[in-house]
Amino acid sequence: MKLIPLIQETLEFVRKRNPNEPEFLQAVTEVYESIQPAIQRDETYQDIRILESLAEPDRQVIFRVPWVDDKGNFQVNRGYRIQFNNALGPYKGGLRFHRSVNPSILKFLGFEQIFKNSLTTLPMGGAKGGSDFDPHGKSDKEVLHFCQSFMTELWRYIGSDTDVPAGDIGVGGREIGYLFGYYKRLTNEFTGVLTGKGLNWGGSLIRSEATGYGCVFFAQEMLATRSETIQGKVCTVSGSGNAAQYTVEKLNQLGAKAVTMSDSDGFIFDKDGISEEKLAWVMALKNVRRGRIKEYAEKFGANYFAGQRPWGIECDCAFPCATQNEISGEDAKTLIDNGCYLVSEAANMPSEPAAVDQFLTKKILFGPGKAANAGGVATSGLEMTQNSMRLPWTRDEVEKRLHHIMVTIHKNAFQTAAEYGHPGNLVVGANIAGFVKVADAMLDQGLV
Ligand code: NDP
Ligand code: 2IT
């Protein structure tokens, strides 16, 4: 697509304002290039201030997080909350604790979150936050001390009608519990200020499962456009955390076969499939013992590939569930050459631009993260609803709603892509559908 001057100028403006932020620029470039058909069609979006405003966070909070480790030594980390856009509802998005966390990564995640949340059909704005704190190898007590110090600063910027954080990489049920407990002490309020809470203190059934389940539901919808089902498909999965575990669980439930899982040290390949029993063992390994995926190979006699990603393994469908830019252009080529014809992104921006190009050019079924992984935040939205009503829904009720939302997101992205002249291109479809709703709301509200 040849870019019109408005998009070129906007991207130039964003690049100048945000030097040294490659992940953020990657996310903005992809969205702004792909929404060009909507900008060209409707003059209202040709006001450059819409695109400039959207790429500028409403507020960025950066703070010091001092804490004391088990040896009695003082440690200092950096905490962040990027409140990107609240045109559609309170700021909403996860917290990531990982050593790589920096403004570029959180801004890319916060920017993506705006459009993702727009697609969910629920009233949520976009935000992201976190810290360069590395939870690997830390004791529960150290994680508790860190979370309490983090919340000592964060509490004043969030609230159930202001900004509702949740989990992401390195932030799961344990961390949400510690963060929630301290928020409650500081404010003397029991509110739905965080999602992903424990089931007996305000959490929603299916929230833990939602990202993985949603991503597989999205894959089912993509396959249905070719009159196919997921049953019997051989699937590669990366990661072994929250998103990966429940992707594998749903694949098993639907009769597909997941053959790989990974962590940052390497991946395992189990040609017999990661059965329900083996997955239960992985969940205990990762969520309780907090061990390495390599142990799976030792336990079940599978193959382990140190320092590698699973994209060289033959499969029908691939589910990247670890992190950004984990599929290179080269990996994409290998996947396609080996017969893979569906990629559904549970992770945020896992495919490098060169990989996305190949998926689109070769016309395989490609579900971009902001559509395919929206089930996580959508179910967070359902948790907020239940908290507001002070009434929990059953597991079945939440899963039905999640399924309906994923079907709706796919339909919206699919129809929008066709409407704007790019049939089958869910990158164009999801970005335009997400953008139009946010831009209209911003215009209605006087571009604030
Ligand atoms: P977890 O922390 O539960 O798991 C992350 C997994 O990815 C771990 O196996 C981890 O391995 C691996 N990983 C993390 N960073 C890297 C890296 N740099 N290189 C290789 N492997 C890595 O996080 P989630 O499962 O929650 O998140 C995974 C992805 O899904 C992220 O992109 C996240 O943004 C996205 N996502 C999550 C949602 C949620 O609700 N949790 C919702 C929507 C998207 P190791 O333990 O070795 O670090
Ligand atoms: O990337 C994401 O959508 C998440 N990490 C979930 C955010 C949320 O608020 O549930």
Side-chain angles (χ1 to χ4, degrees):
M1 211 182 307
K2 189 174 171 342
L3 292 182
I4 56 174
L6 175 74
I7 306 272
Q8 278 175 11
E9 281 162 33
T10 309
L11 287 174
E12 200 45 46
F13 169 86
V14 178
R15 275 183 212 119
K16 277 213 183 101
R17 271 178 95 86
N18 304 280
N20 312 315
E21 295 191 354
E23 293 86 0
F24 177 54
L25 295 174
Q26 182 183 334
V28 176
T29 304
E30 184 213 273
V31 171
Y32 282 6
E33 286 183 357
S34 65
I35 61 174
Q36 177 160 302
I39 311 263
Q40 280 175 303
R41 183 177 298 186
D42 191 336
E43 263 180 34
T44 34
Y45 306 135
Q46 288 170 14
D47 183 340
I48 196 163
R49 288 172 308 159
I50 298 177
L51 297 181
E52 288 180 0
S53 301
L54 254 177
E56 190 65 25
D58 290 351
R59 188 174 299 108
Q60 307 185 57
V61 187
I62 304 184
F63 48 94
R64 186 166 61 93
V65 190
W67 57 283
V68 178
D69 68 20
D70 285 349
K71 294 195 186 103
N73 296 322
F74 283 97
Q75 302 278 349
V76 179
N77 286 95
R78 197 173 278 179
Y80 303 84
R81 187 69 182 165
I82 315 272
Q83 296 176 334
F84 225 114
N85 185 293
N86 64 354
L88 299 181
Y91 300 109
K92 182 83 195 85
L95 296 170
R96 177 176 289 192
F97 292 171
H98 193 268
R99 57 189 175 279
S100 64
V101 160
N102 60 33
S104 173
I105 288 178
L106 294 182
K107 280 168 68 181
F108 115 64
L109 289 162
F111 183 76
E112 289 281 291
Q113 199 82 43
I114 304 170
F115 307 99
K116 183 195 306 192
N117 293 3
S118 166
L119 288 168
T120 64
T121 70
L122 303 174
M124 299 181 290
K128 202 80 186 191
S131 175
D132 58 0
F133 173 74
D134 180 3
H136 291 107
K138 302 288 192 300
S139 69
D140 283 353
K141 221 157 113 204
E142 288 176 322
V143 172
L144 172 70
H145 290 155
F146 174 81
C147 286
Q148 293 187 335
S149 181
F150 185 82
M151 190 50 88
T152 303
E153 198 54 41
L154 184 69
W155 74 274
R156 61 186 97 242
Y157 306 105
I158 61 176
S160 55
D161 289 324
T162 307
D163 181 357
V164 183
D168 192 77
I169 292 177
V171 178
R174 174 183 61 171
E175 291 74 19
I176 294 293
Y178 294 160
L179 291 164
F180 182 78
Y182 215 61
Y183 180 87
K184 203 182 57 175
R185 271 194 88 186
L186 288 165
T187 59
N188 197 27
E189 279 181 2
F190 194 113
T191 67
V193 65
L194 292 158
T195 58
K197 298 186 291 297
L199 293 179
N200 48 8
W201 43 274
S204 173
L205 287 157
I206 301 289
R207 175 60 189 91
S208 299
E209 292 87 339
T211 307
Y213 280 20
C215 183
V216 177
F217 291 151
F218 197 86
Q220 283 186 297
E221 293 310 297
M222 292 196 286
L223 287 164
T225 64
R226 296 189 184 174
S227 307
E228 285 192 45
T229 70
I230 193 93
Q231 199 182 359
K233 299 285 185 290
V234 174
C235 305
T236 46
V237 175
S238 65
S240 48
N242 174 271
Q245 290 170 15
Y246 290 102
T247 294
V248 173
E249 181 165 293
K250 188 48 82 180
L251 287 172
N252 278 334
Q253 286 173 11
L254 296 173
K257 185 159 89 169
V259 292
T260 65
M261 288 184 96
S262 72
D263 59 25
S264 51
D265 293 333
F267 79 92
I268 57 103
F269 170 47
D270 185 342
K271 63 175 176 11
D272 300 328
I274 302 164
S275 63
E276 202 184 317
E277 295 72 32
K278 290 173 183 171
L279 178 63
W281 185 89
V282 171
M283 288 182 175
L285 171 78
K286 286 292 171 182
N287 309 345
V288 184
R289 289 199 285 124
R290 298 183 192 274
R292 309 307 298 161
I293 200 68
K294 181 173 189 258
E295 294 175 41
Y296 181 104
E298 289 150 17
K299 170 85 182 165
F300 298 111
N303 298 101
Y304 177 68
F305 298 84
Q308 290 183 48
R309 299 183 290 210
W311 314 128
I313 300 296
E314 258 179 52
C315 64
D316 303 305
C317 310
F319 292 85
C321 300
T323 193
Q324 65 275 357
N325 292 330
E326 57 168 315
I327 302 183
S328 65
E330 194 74 4
D331 293 329
K333 187 173 179 312
T334 309
L335 277 167
I336 296 169
D337 287 349
N338 283 341
C340 172
Y341 64 99
L342 179 148
V343 176
S344 190
E345 296 184 334
N348 284 302
M349 207 170 76
S351 308
E352 288 183 355
V356 176
D357 277 353
Q358 302 224 26
F359 298 148
L360 297 179
T361 315
K362 298 276 165 58
K363 295 198 184 312
I364 72 160
L365 296 166
F366 175 58
K370 68 171 74 64
N373 75 35
V377 73
T379 308
S380 279
L382 300 177
E383 183 171 328
M384 290 167 72
T385 307
Q386 294 167 79
N387 290 165
S388 297
M389 297 193 301
R390 296 177 194 273
L391 207 61
W393 284 324
T394 61
R395 194 181 164 84
D396 193 40
E397 171 81 29
V398 184
E399 187 166 344
K400 270 200 193 117
R401 285 178 183 269
L402 166 64
H403 184 258
H404 177 72
I405 289 172
M406 297 314 298
V407 170
T408 307
I409 295 174
H410 177 268
K411 194 166 156 199
N412 190 4
F414 189 80
Q415 287 178 347
T416 306
E419 192 187 323
Y420 284 88
H422 294 266
N425 182 335
L426 299 181
V427 175
V428 166
N431 285 338
I432 292 182
F435 165 77
V436 163
K437 196 170 148 194
V438 178
D440 287 350
M442 287 170 73
L443 286 163
D444 288 346
Q445 295 169 29
L447 263 185
V448 289

